[in-house]
Amino acid sequence: MAETFKLRVNGRDCEVQAEPATPLLYILRNDLKLKGTRFGCGEAQCGACNVLLDGNAVPSCDTPLWSVPGHEVTTIEGIGGESGLHPLQQAFIDEQAIQCGYCIDGIIISAVALLRRERDPSNTQIAAALDRNLCRCGTHVRILRAIRAAARAMRASPKT
Ligand code: FES
Ligand code: FES
């Protein structure tokens, strides 16, 4: 039976009505119209649906609605600021690290979580952070380059 849940998504409070076990992914895409969070495998294996939950990257396809109230959700739409793109978004453009783009929002979410805990990650640390993000287009080398470039930009501008 549908119940009412209060959520905080991208800094805004909202209310949705749905079954408690509904995956957060469906709420984001269908109820809140935040289409940047993508459906890939539906089994917590591909990372296309990743969002930040209190700053940690989690697969929203495997996050039931009942577990979300009281936590801060950030989707790819909430990553950039009013001043423009997040340094990671800019770096992915600059390094041409995007081909079809289907995986990229989830990868950027994982990278945001990584750069919050590690300002100067090694390639090994980046690869470990992206272990659950699949990219079928194979832009991995460019993705690594973009994340390192964003890390440099963020170290040079600590407010980002
Ligand atoms: S759709 Fe959620 S991890 Fe693949
Ligand atoms: S850019 Fe196409 S799946 Fe990654």
Side-chain angles (χ1 to χ4, degrees), residues 25 38-50 59-62:
L25 172 61
R38 305 247 164 74
F39 182 93
C41 63
E43 297 180 348
Q45 297 295 318
C46 77
C49 68
N50 275 5
S60 60
C61 71
D62 196 34

Side-chain angles (χ1 to χ4, degrees), residues 4-69:
T4 301
F5 294 88
K6 293 184 183 196
L7 308 180
R8 188 156 176 84
V9 179
N10 296 338
R12 292 191 184 156
D13 294 318
C14 56
E15 218 173 76
V16 296
Q17 288 197 326
E19 303 264 346
T22 306
L24 174 60
L25 172 61
Y26 299 169
I27 300 296
L28 294 173
R29 289 185 59 86
N30 301 336
D31 294 66
L32 303 181
K33 308 300 179 198
L34 295 168
K35 305 285 189 181
T37 306
R38 305 247 164 74
F39 182 93
C41 63
E43 297 180 348
Q45 297 295 318
C46 77
C49 68
N50 275 5
V51 297
L52 296 174
L53 199 62
D54 295 338
N56 298 308
V58 299
S60 60
C61 71
D62 196 34
T63 302
L65 178 57
W66 62 259
S67 71
V68 180

Side-chain angles (χ1 to χ4, degrees), residues 102-152:
Y102 201 85
C103 69
I104 294 296
D105 292 346
I107 287 179
I108 288 178
I109 289 288
S110 294
V112 168
L114 169 67
L115 296 186
R116 279 187 184 160
R117 58 179 192 270
E118 178 55 64
R119 286 166 52 80
D120 188 11
S122 65
N123 278 349
T124 304
Q125 287 172 311
I126 297 171
L130 299 185
D131 191 40
R132 286 297 183 100
N133 289 90
L134 301 184
C135 174
R136 288 171 179 80
C137 295
T139 63
H140 302 83
V141 173
R142 291 179 181 210
I143 288 170
L144 286 177
R145 216 156 50 209
I147 293 174
R148 286 200 311 269
R152 277 196 302 279

